[in-house]
Amino acid sequence: GRLTSLTVIYLHNNLLTTVPAELGQLTALTEVYLHNNRLRSVPAEFGRLTALLTLLLDNNDLPAIPPELGELTSLTLLHLENNQLTEVPAELGQLTALTHLFLQNNQLTAVPTKLGQLSLLKLLDISCNQLAAVPAELGQLRALALLDLSFNQLASIPVELGESSALTHLFLGNNRLVAVPAELGQLTSLQRLTLEDNALISLPISLQDLVNLRELRLHGNDALGLPMELLGPRSTEVGKLNPPANPQTILDFYFARQAEGSEAMREVRVLLVGRGRVGKTSLLKVLRGEKLDPGEKETPGITVLPLPLRCAQGTATAHAWDFGGQEFLHGTHQIFLSERCIYLLVLEGRESNWETETDYWLRFIQSFGGDSPVVVALNKYDSHAFTVDRFRLQEKCPQIAGFVPTDALTGRGIAELRALLETTVNGMPDVWLGVPRRWHRVKERLRHMATSFLDYKEYLAVCAREQVTDEGQQASLAETLHRLGIALNFRDHHRLRETSVLKPKWVTKGIYGLLRFLQKRGCNGVLERAWLAEALPSQEYPTAKHGFVMELMEKFEVAFALEKPEAAGAAQEPERWLLPELLPEVQPAAFAEFRATGVKRLRFTYPEALPPGLLPRFIVRTHEMSEGQARWRSGVVLAWGEERALVRLDRTQRQATVEVVGASQEGAQGIFDIIRAHLVVLHGMVTAVEELQISEQPAEWVRMKELRMAEREKDEVLKVTIGQEPNERRLTLPVGKTLDAVESPEARAAEGPTPPRRVRLFVSYAHADARKLKTLSTQLTILGRRGFIQPWEDKQLIAGEDWHERIMDELAAAEIVLLIYSDQSQASAYVQDKEIPKALVRMDEGKCVLIPVPLDGAELDPANPQEQRLKKLMTATWNAKPVLKYARHADAWREVGRSIRATVEARRAAWSPEPER
């Protein structure tokens, strides 16, 4: 009797292969959860559960479902995804109350026409099946808001879909579509349309009528001839600093090109890289038909020269960038590296280990150039012939287009190298992609501009004079010119965007001239603001642009301001910077405390190559933790609470070692988590093997991967073999205890197979306070590493009115809003009039938690209703004490971090439904 009154049954996340037919007698059931099992069938008796509202059968092994499920006329939610279904019974069309139907990841070749009778259906997902067609009757679904037909085999879609007037999301990507019907232009409620990875050859002009469209995905339709800069990031790449492209911009470009005709840019960047004195400059000279200079000096930074290439599709201009090879310059090279260029890697066999060098440079290229094609020149071949393992290198770097033995002195291989470059350029679609002729006119104006730089507003004026008036097209053209090396721009950075159209020579001469100046001065990488006028010629680099050069070096992790965040005034500019690439190589002290007992150690070994600029970039990223500590080019000491860490790089062993001293396990876990979070980013595409030193056997190490795997398998101990024969022996390690010494359980859970839900966090602050928030970014880094908030990078701390739409989108999605309250935020009209009111409205709706962080003691105005509302909220610091009033500011930011964590845990507890999906 008690069973017959059941309304909910939870049988999910088991290994069930069958369920009893008697469940069909429990006619009071409204919810049945059977997902994540191994069911091979569903009893027909389930059709008797006429009160059922929710039925979850996803993630099983079902080859079919009984037609009797069509009798569940009260059902609103039906999950059938991730099974083995080959067909769907037509009787499902009788589920007239159904609002959500999930059928993705099955083996369906067709769906019944009667699904068009589901008049209340709001969501229909049939993605990842084998559909060759969909019924026209789906157009009758007038309540349908989301339709996902992606990852099928559709060659066409019915014109009747244009009648589904409530559609806001339509996913048609990864099919075989050659065209889409003009009737889609009737979907005026549509906000998102994905058509990527099809075979589209044209677009209907009616798409311009989609007035509410916010995302349009057209990647992977090469016949449309749309530049990647215009298309923006793919769905998986969209983020706070990588928003989707404006659909109207894409459509305006496409139809403007059709109306006025198009012409290919026929330009590309060729980047010559390799160590110093391998002959890059000489090789470029003979490629350009110039005479060699026997006394040629090393390239001091970068030189840029044109190189005409006669390709099968026509003549293209390669802008050849000759990079200086000295190691201290490598970290700065990244400023100018980009994707969709050609990389010419120059090697020579004498006085070098070509294998180590090749691995290093290929990883360097892949880290910054993506899958750009690579040409390898085996230079000075006649004076010292050598070979490389071509097949191994191409296996590691598939984009290598070929290898050419060359010698600039004898002329060996020069014709072959030119031919390979021409063939490679000929096969690069971007070079030959047609763009509107007005884009060419803007390009030529910028190429011949009298000044070395333009403020972005001046660039927009140039565009407007040539009828490029759409903001999205202006941004896309700026990106294209940057990639081609014609006019550099850094408009994705909030402090660089105003001066973001620059002649390459102005940037390269300024940055590398500054590096050379500091190297000659022997100042151990410390730069004084007063020296900028001496290092940078005043006619070319007015004082007003000195800050731009330094901001550029900060953006690319080449330099950082030496002032402590708490020492800087509200809008005070830095007076000193440190460039870690120019630090002394010699370790400054013995650091005996790191050789004592109880020191916890990790090491990262790089079997293929060292990550580019690993330690100098790491020092920049963690500089607020090394204030007052030792720094040198291959090492640094960090402080975190009572714990200290020594991070060193051994280039000969290709190893980075992390050693931590301190009494607190919690503190040790914290500093290890922070260090690992930064190293993981800096490793990029380089393979890293992470090992933990066994405390009982200091000479022995165990792989962290093995320990983490043992923990996931719920093994309490891990048996490892140490020593060498004949002294080899087995050691048993307690898994949890060993891992806890160097990593928090939260960080491990965040990387596990079922990570906890991360909460989206938004930081509201005044631009003038940015430098005071460096220690906050460390707290956000550790919270991201431990899975509490979405992965965080301090470059995501952005502010400014020019980012209005993006800021509002992020604020609308945030579950926690951290409000940095200060004199500067009170003076910011944007913070006061835009961000705070929106955050308060969302808080009132229960959609977010607003946490004020008093920064400098700014008084809340009792006459201001908004500020009085803020005064009633619980602050992130104890008793509303301002962060800058703490004796140690780091202690205040720790309190802020704990407040965020507690809020995340509370929201998780409130959010997690039963059953957990």
Side-chain angles (χ1 to χ4, degrees):
R2 293 179 61 187
L3 286 177
T4 56
S5 63
L6 276 178
T7 59
V8 181
I9 284 185
Y10 300 123
L11 291 172
H12 59 289
N13 298 330
N14 289 293
L15 300 175
L16 300 177
T17 56
T18 61
V19 289
E22 288 77 6
L23 288 182
Q25 299 174 16
L26 306 179
T27 54
L29 284 173
T30 59
E31 300 176 42
V32 172
Y33 298 95
L34 285 163
H35 55 285
N36 298 336
N37 281 295
R38 296 180 180 175
L39 298 181
R40 295 281 301 161
S41 63
V42 177
E45 287 79 359
F46 270 32
R48 301 174 186 169
L49 303 175
T50 54
L52 205 59
L53 301 174
T54 298
L55 176 58
L56 274 62
L57 293 166
D58 51 289
N59 293 287
N60 280 289
D61 297 319
L62 299 173
I65 55 172
E68 287 80 1
L69 292 188
E71 299 171 16
L72 304 176
T73 53
S74 298
L75 199 65
T76 61
L77 180 65
L78 178 56
H79 280 268
L80 293 168
E81 69 268 25
N82 298 313
N83 279 290
Q84 303 296 322
L85 303 178
T86 56
E87 62 178 358
V88 176
E91 286 79 359
L92 292 191
Q94 301 168 19
L95 301 177
T96 53
L98 202 63
T99 60
H100 292 71
L101 176 57
F102 297 88
L103 293 164
Q104 68 267 31
N105 288 306
N106 279 289
Q107 304 295 321
L108 302 176
T109 56
V111 290
T113 60
K114 289 189 176 181
L115 291 187
Q117 300 173 11
L118 302 176
S119 58
L120 298 182
L121 197 64
K122 295 180 181 179
L123 183 151
L124 176 58
D125 191 341
I126 327 177
S127 61
C128 302
N129 279 286
Q130 307 294 323
L131 301 180
V134 291
E137 286 77 3
L138 293 187
Q140 301 170 15
L141 300 174
R142 299 293 192 267
L144 195 64
L146 185 150
L147 175 60
D148 194 343
L149 295 169
S150 55
F151 291 93
N152 278 288
Q153 299 176 23
L154 302 175
S156 64
I157 56 172
V159 298
E160 288 81 0
L161 282 186
E163 301 171 14
S164 299
S165 54
L167 269 179
T168 59
H169 292 67
L170 178 57
F171 302 104
L172 298 168
N174 295 87
N175 279 288
R176 300 175 180 178
L177 301 175
V178 177
V180 292
E183 286 77 2
L184 292 189
Q186 300 168 192
L187 301 174
T188 53
S189 297
L190 203 62
Q191 298 176 18
R192 189 174 181 189
L193 174 60
T194 66
L195 289 161
E196 71 267 26
D197 298 313
N198 276 286
L200 297 176
I201 59 175
S202 65
L203 297 174
I205 197 167
S206 62
L207 293 185
Q208 291 188 307
D209 297 332
L210 301 175
V211 293
N212 288 305
L213 198 62
R214 301 184 64 182
E215 290 187 32
L216 175 62
R217 305 288 178 194
L218 288 166
H219 305 77
N221 292 282
D222 295 341
L224 294 179
L226 295 170
M228 290 298 295
E229 288 84 359
L230 195 75
L231 293 174
R234 284 181 172 265
S235 305
T236 55
E237 300 167 340
V238 170
K240 184 170 185 175
L241 295 182
N242 212 19
N246 185 327
Q248 201 58 48
T249 295
I250 299 171
L251 296 173
D252 284 350
F253 175 93
Y254 178 80
F255 292 111
R257 191 178 56 184
Q258 286 191 329
E260 68 182 58
S262 64
E263 184 181 344
M265 287 281 193
R266 300 189 179 210
E267 301 192 55
V268 67
R269 253 204 295 182
V270 176
L271 309 177
L272 285 79
V273 296
R275 72 172 179 86
R277 301 193 179 279
V278 295
K280 297 187 293 297
T281 302
S282 298
L283 201 58
L284 179 56
K285 278 194 169 185
V286 295
L287 281 170
R288 284 170 40 84
E290 299 176 4
K291 291 184 179 180
L292 294 182
D293 178 2
E296 189 80 56
K297 295 181 179 179
E298 277 194 88
T299 304
I302 300 176
T303 57
V304 184
L305 296 168
L307 174 65
L309 296 174
R310 295 175 179 83
C311 307
Q313 297 190 61
T315 299
T317 299
H319 302 279
W321 289 52
D322 179 9
F323 285 78
Q326 301 93 323
E327 188 177 354
F328 80 92
L329 298 174
H330 296 178
T332 312
H333 289 347
Q334 60 169 307
I335 298 174
F336 308 103
L337 304 182
S338 65
E339 298 183 355
R340 285 176 288 144
C341 302
I342 293 180
Y343 286 81
L344 176 53
L345 172 57
V346 183
L347 305 173
E348 65 107 3
R350 185 171 48 195
E351 300 176 2
S352 68
N353 182 339
W354 70 263
E355 187 168 12
T356 301
E357 281 192 18
T358 307
D359 285 341
Y360 170 80
W361 283 108
L362 290 179
R363 290 306 183 192
F364 189 92
I365 292 167
Q366 288 177 317
S367 293
F368 304 110
D371 58 359
S372 296
V374 179
V375 172
V376 182
L378 311 179
N379 202 29
K380 300 184 180 181
Y381 196 84
D382 285 337
S383 60
H384 191 87
F386 68 107
T387 59
V388 297
D389 190 342
R390 302 185 180 196
F391 294 111
R392 183 187 72 84
L393 292 175
Q394 284 183 312
E395 184 178 342
K396 294 172 64 174
C397 184
Q399 65 263 42
I400 293 179
F403 302 80
V404 183
T406 59
D407 198 302
L409 288 174
T410 65
R412 172 191 283 273
I414 301 304
E416 291 84 351
L417 179 60
R418 171 178 282 277
L420 181 55
L421 288 171
E422 290 171 344
T423 301
T424 305
V425 171
N426 195 67
M428 297 177 72
D430 284 355
V431 178
W432 313 101
L433 195 63
V435 299
R437 288 192 170 92
R438 63 185 76 170
W439 279 35
H440 286 270
R441 296 195 295 269
V442 174
K443 176 190 73 174
E444 291 306 313
R445 276 185 175 271
L446 295 177
R447 193 197 302 275
H448 297 107
M449 66 184 183
T451 59
S452 295
F453 52 82
L454 286 180
D455 288 347
Y456 198 69
K457 290 179 181 178
E458 295 175 282
Y459 162 74
L460 297 182
V462 172
C463 289
R465 284 197 292 271
E466 299 300 341
Q467 286 79 52
V468 182
T469 54
D470 178 82
E471 290 184 11
Q473 283 198 45
Q474 292 166 343
S476 298
L477 176 55
E479 286 186 48
T480 300
L481 297 174
H482 178 88
R483 175 174 51 81
L484 295 176
I486 296 170
L488 303 182
N489 80 93
F490 303 96
R491 65 182 306 274
D492 61 335
H493 189 280
H494 67 286
R495 294 196 296 270
L496 297 178
R497 61 180 293 137
E498 290 308 317
T499 304
S500 57
V501 180
L502 315 103
K503 286 187 175 179
K505 186 177 179 180
W506 185 84
V507 183
T508 59
K509 183 180 176 181
I511 289 178
Y512 288 100
L514 191 55
L515 284 169
R516 292 288 184 185
F517 174 87
L518 294 176
Q519 188 187 42
K520 290 178 181 178
R521 199 173 188 103
C523 54
N524 295 330
V526 177
L527 168 64
E528 302 281 350
R529 176 177 287 275
W531 300 346
L532 290 172
E534 183 181 350
L536 301 172
S538 58
Q539 289 185 339
E540 295 179 74
Y541 302 91
T543 303
K545 296 303 177 188
H546 290 176
F548 176 88
V549 175
M550 296 314 303
E551 290 279 9
L552 190 60
M553 298 179 82
E554 288 189 54
K555 167 183 166 66
F556 285 95
E557 299 173 349
V558 176
F560 63 88
L562 277 173
E563 285 81 6
K564 295 181 180 180
E566 57 265 33
Q572 180 181 338
E573 292 297 322
E575 292 300 321
R576 300 164 71 239
W577 291 267
L578 180 67
L579 284 68
E581 285 282 3
L582 297 177
L583 281 169
E585 280 282 3
V586 179
Q587 181 175 304
F591 303 123
E593 68 268 36
F594 290 100
R595 294 198 301 275
T597 57
V599 177
K600 303 173 179 67
R601 294 182 178 89
L602 285 177
R603 72 181 181 192
F604 297 84
T605 303
Y606 310 101
E608 298 175 344
L610 285 172
L614 180 63
L615 250 296
R617 290 180 68 197
F618 178 82
I619 292 171
V620 173
R621 294 177 72 96
T622 59
H623 68 84
E624 73 280 355
M625 298 172 64
S626 61
E627 289 288 349
Q629 307 294 327
R631 301 170 175 140
W632 64 106
R633 190 167 183 269
S634 57
V636 65
V637 176
L638 307 179
W640 172 255
E642 303 304 320
E643 276 64 43
R644 296 175 77 224
L646 174 62
V647 184
R648 290 183 288 189
L649 178 66
D650 185 329
R651 290 187 180 85
T652 60
Q653 297 295 319
R654 291 211 292 249
Q655 282 182 346
T657 306
V658 181
E659 302 171 271
V660 171
V661 295
S664 162
Q665 177 168 282
E666 181 183 356
Q669 288 175 348
I671 201 166
F672 272 122
D673 284 351
I674 294 169
I675 290 169
R676 190 181 284 105
H678 288 297
L679 288 178
V680 166
V681 174
L682 294 174
H683 289 161
M685 297 184 65
V686 176
T687 301
V689 178
E690 183 183 4
E691 297 172 295
L692 163 67
Q693 188 181 56
I694 301 173
S695 58
E696 296 88 347
Q697 301 288 333
E700 303 295 339
W701 300 75
V702 59
R703 291 196 177 195
M704 289 287 287
K705 183 178 179 181
E706 294 181 21
L707 284 163
R708 293 185 184 119
M709 185 61 68
E711 184 176 59
R712 289 172 191 169
E713 297 291 331
K714 302 191 184 306
D715 294 334
E716 294 185 1
V717 297
L718 175 68
K719 295 182 179 180
V720 295
T721 302
I722 63 172
Q724 301 292 327
E725 293 183 354
N727 299 319
E728 181 180 285
R729 64 191 184 90
R730 299 277 283 175
L731 188 67
T732 299
L733 298 177
V735 173
K737 180 180 178 182
T738 304
L739 282 170
D740 285 345
V742 295
E743 186 174 37
S744 68
E746 296 92 343
R748 301 201 295 277
E751 291 186 342
T754 55
R757 189 180 77 96
R758 295 175 184 265
V759 167
R760 298 186 71 160
L761 177 140
F762 179 89
V763 182
S764 171
Y765 72 103
H767 182 183
D769 289 329
R771 293 191 182 278
K772 301 175 186 177
L773 306 182
K774 290 293 185 182
T775 309
L776 170 61
S777 71
T778 301
Q779 289 292 335
L780 300 179
T781 295
I782 195 171
L783 289 168
R785 172 72 188 172
R786 292 177 174 180
F788 289 101
I789 60 175
Q790 288 190 348
W792 186 268
E793 295 181 20
D794 55 11
K795 65 183 70 173
Q796 289 177 309
L797 271 168
I798 61 174
E801 289 77 353
D802 289 336
W803 296 71
H804 173 70
E805 186 173 345
R806 196 179 308 177
I807 288 174
M808 289 298 104
D809 286 346
E810 288 298 319
L811 187 51
E815 295 176 72
I816 298 177
V817 175
L818 200 67
L819 173 61
I820 310 299
Y821 214 78
S822 67
D823 289 328
Q824 294 298 324
S825 70
Q826 280 186 319
S828 169
Y830 194 80
V831 172
Q832 296 296 320
D833 300 339
K834 301 290 185 183
E835 294 184 351
I836 294 177
K838 188 174 182 69
L840 287 170
V841 168
R842 297 192 73 249
M843 182 186 72
D844 292 340
E845 295 172 347
K847 295 178 179 176
C848 79
V849 175
L850 179 57
I851 307 177
V853 181
L855 185 63
D856 57 11
E859 293 291 335
L860 293 168
D861 184 358
N864 185 322
Q866 179 170 282
E867 295 195 0
Q868 286 309 294
R869 289 200 65 192
L870 295 176
K871 193 170 185 178
K872 295 176 182 178
L873 299 177
M874 182 73 72
T875 62
T877 55
W878 175 253
N879 205 24
K881 183 177 180 179
V883 169
L884 301 185
K885 300 293 185 183
Y886 279 68
R888 294 198 311 176
H889 300 172
D891 291 341
W893 291 120
R894 280 177 183 249
E895 285 189 24
V896 173
R898 284 192 288 268
S899 294
I900 295 172
R901 174 170 175 163
T903 305
V904 171
E905 290 172 338
R907 286 195 72 79
R908 279 178 179 169
W911 175 87
S912 296
E914 178 61 38
E916 184 180 337
R917 294 304 314 277

